[in-house]
Amino acid sequence: MCIRDRYQRRVHGENKKQQMSSSHTAKDALIDFLVGGTAGAVSKTVVAPLERVKLLLQTQDVNLKLNDRKYKGFADCFLRCVREEGTISLWRGNWANVLRYFPTQAFNFAFKERYQKFFCNYDPKVDPWKFFLGNLMAGGSAGASSMVFVYPLDFARTRLGVDIGKQANERQFRGLSDCLGQIYKSDGVVGLYRGFAISVFSIFIYRSLYFGCYDAGKAFIFKDKQHQSIIIRFLFAQFVTTFSEFLSYPFDTVRRRLMMQSGRSDQLYKGSIDCFARIQKEEGFKAFFKGNMSNIMRSVGSSMVLVLYDEFKRFVVPPKHKKA
């Protein structure tokens, strides 16, 4: 009888530990989701004007409203947006961007922490390269996984951002729901996911470097993570973000061009490879980097996300005091 009671208490104790562990994991995931999304929404709103200029320059060669009056560069695009469409137009599509970016960043951070447990079971001091590659895989996998869920919002953000016209009746779309509805009606689900394959490839490269280099760099460079200057961390995050976006930018240009094909009667490109080839042939290599100056300036927002995420998480989940 005594042995049976002890066995039952032991089983009960193990079940309780498993329940607590499961609850703790769910709480961590929720915190990652909310903190990552809040950091992303704040930063994207701040840099929204730069984001719109970048999209306009990136897609102007396939934008029907710009056939005879293309932008000459970053400054010309920015000033013409203000002069022709009003200052508020610089935030056009930002609501869709926040709706997109909140789950995107939230899923990115939530998935990243889960993938890190799978890929990054290495001590950075003992196996530095395995630790670094593990972080790259975790970051890339997180970005690719998130893309599956939020791609239609990413698509809508692009199309709304490049929709030109001061008055609502001058523009193609009246808002987010109208954009998604029109494209779905004309092209179906395929239209909302046009450019998805190259987007997954692009986001894997970008996120693997963006998250991987930053997380690995923090472990290698910053010994005291809790008390490291926020300015130093921001400068490091800015370097990582600029490097990541520069390498992935040509793929981003191709995916944005493919998005512009949805809802049109004429076929712009047969696919990603054809898009690459035609841009190179008709516009030259520099065309892959149209809008990159605005993108580099906009990347401040992405750097803010990394730092704000750490800061918000420290505020929400204070570091545990070590036992004496």
Side-chain angles (χ1 to χ4, degrees):
M1 190 74 176
C2 183
I3 294 175
R4 188 179 69 180
D5 289 344
R6 278 196 301 239
Y7 175 76
Q8 289 178 341
R9 283 198 298 270
R10 179 181 175 185
V11 171
H12 177 72
E14 290 177 351
N15 289 337
K16 190 173 181 180
K17 285 182 179 179
Q18 290 177 353
Q19 291 175 357
M20 291 176 65
S21 176
S22 176
S23 175
H24 181 67
T25 301
K27 182 180 178 182
D28 286 346
L30 179 60
I31 289 173
D32 288 337
F33 188 89
L34 294 175
V35 171
T38 301
V42 170
S43 65
K44 276 298 179 181
T45 300
V46 171
V47 299
L50 298 173
E51 175 85 6
R52 186 172 188 234
V53 170
K54 172 245 185 187
L55 289 174
L56 286 168
L57 291 172
Q58 210 171 17
T59 61
Q60 66 174 336
D61 289 278
V62 291
N63 193 326
L64 295 175
K65 292 186 177 181
L66 292 172
N67 282 341
D68 300 322
R69 53 193 194 96
K70 293 180 180 178
Y71 302 112
K72 298 176 183 178
F74 170 79
D76 180 55
C77 182
F78 187 92
L79 292 174
R80 277 178 56 184
C81 283
V82 175
R83 185 171 62 250
E84 297 172 5
E85 303 177 75
T87 303
I88 195 67
S89 71
L90 294 171
W91 276 267
R92 183 170 298 154
N94 186 57
W95 175 235
N97 204 24
V98 169
L99 288 179
R100 172 192 75 88
Y101 209 70
F102 191 96
T104 297
Q105 284 299 93
F107 278 129
N108 278 335
F109 282 107
F111 280 134
K112 177 178 69 75
E113 301 238 341
R114 301 303 170 274
Y115 281 124
Q116 280 181 330
K117 294 178 181 178
F118 180 77
F119 288 115
C120 303
N121 294 319
Y122 302 102
D123 187 332
K125 295 181 180 179
V126 179
D127 296 302
W129 283 108
K130 289 182 179 180
F131 178 79
F132 175 68
L133 292 175
N135 271 289
L136 292 184
M137 287 298 297
S141 299
S145 299
S146 303
M147 182 68 72
V148 176
F149 298 97
V150 301
Y151 193 79
L153 289 173
D154 187 22
F155 170 87
R157 189 275 172 275
T158 299
R159 294 301 297 266
L160 290 171
V162 300
D163 200 4
I164 299 172
K166 187 171 185 178
Q167 304 299 326
N169 59 3
E170 298 174 354
R171 301 193 290 270
Q172 183 179 2
F173 306 113
R174 295 190 300 272
L176 175 60
S177 59
D178 182 54
C179 175
L180 294 174
Q182 281 195 44
I183 299 301
Y184 178 77
K185 185 176 181 180
S186 63
D187 291 29
V189 176
V190 174
L192 298 176
Y193 276 86
R194 185 155 283 130
F196 179 74
I198 190 66
S199 294
V200 170
F201 182 73
S202 171
I203 206 68
F204 188 91
I205 294 175
Y206 172 63
R207 291 296 177 186
S208 64
L209 295 171
Y210 176 70
F211 281 128
C213 291
Y214 182 71
D215 288 335
K218 284 195 301 182
F220 290 135
I221 300 172
F222 305 136
K223 295 181 179 179
D224 187 359
K225 300 177 186 177
Q226 297 295 336
H227 300 93
Q228 183 64 49
S229 167
I230 191 172
I231 302 299
I232 299 298
R233 280 187 288 124
F234 172 76
L235 291 175
F236 175 68
Q238 184 60 43
F239 171 79
V240 169
T241 303
T242 302
F243 176 70
S244 303
E245 294 195 349
F246 179 80
L247 290 183
S248 62
Y249 198 79
F251 301 102
D252 186 64
T253 296
V254 170
R255 80 188 191 96
R256 302 290 181 188
R257 295 287 187 92
L258 291 173
M259 288 179 183
M260 296 296 291
Q261 185 165 291
S262 291
R264 293 179 58 149
S265 56
D266 58 325
Q267 185 181 45
L268 295 172
Y269 310 106
K270 298 176 182 178
S272 301
I273 296 176
D274 180 56
C275 185
F276 265 109
R278 287 189 57 184
I279 291 175
Q280 174 63 38
K281 181 179 179 180
E282 298 171 7
E283 303 172 50
F285 182 73
K286 289 183 179 180
F288 290 108
F289 291 91
K290 286 182 177 179
N292 193 41
M293 176 60 70
S294 177
N295 191 55
I296 290 175
M297 297 171 67
R298 181 195 64 87
S299 68
V300 171
S302 298
S303 304
M304 286 170 58
V305 170
L306 291 172
V307 178
L308 286 175
Y309 175 78
D310 287 341
E311 292 302 307
F312 285 169
K313 195 165 185 179
R314 284 174 60 189
F315 177 77
V316 175
V317 187
K320 296 180 180 179
H321 296 288
K322 294 180 180 180
K323 293 182 180 179

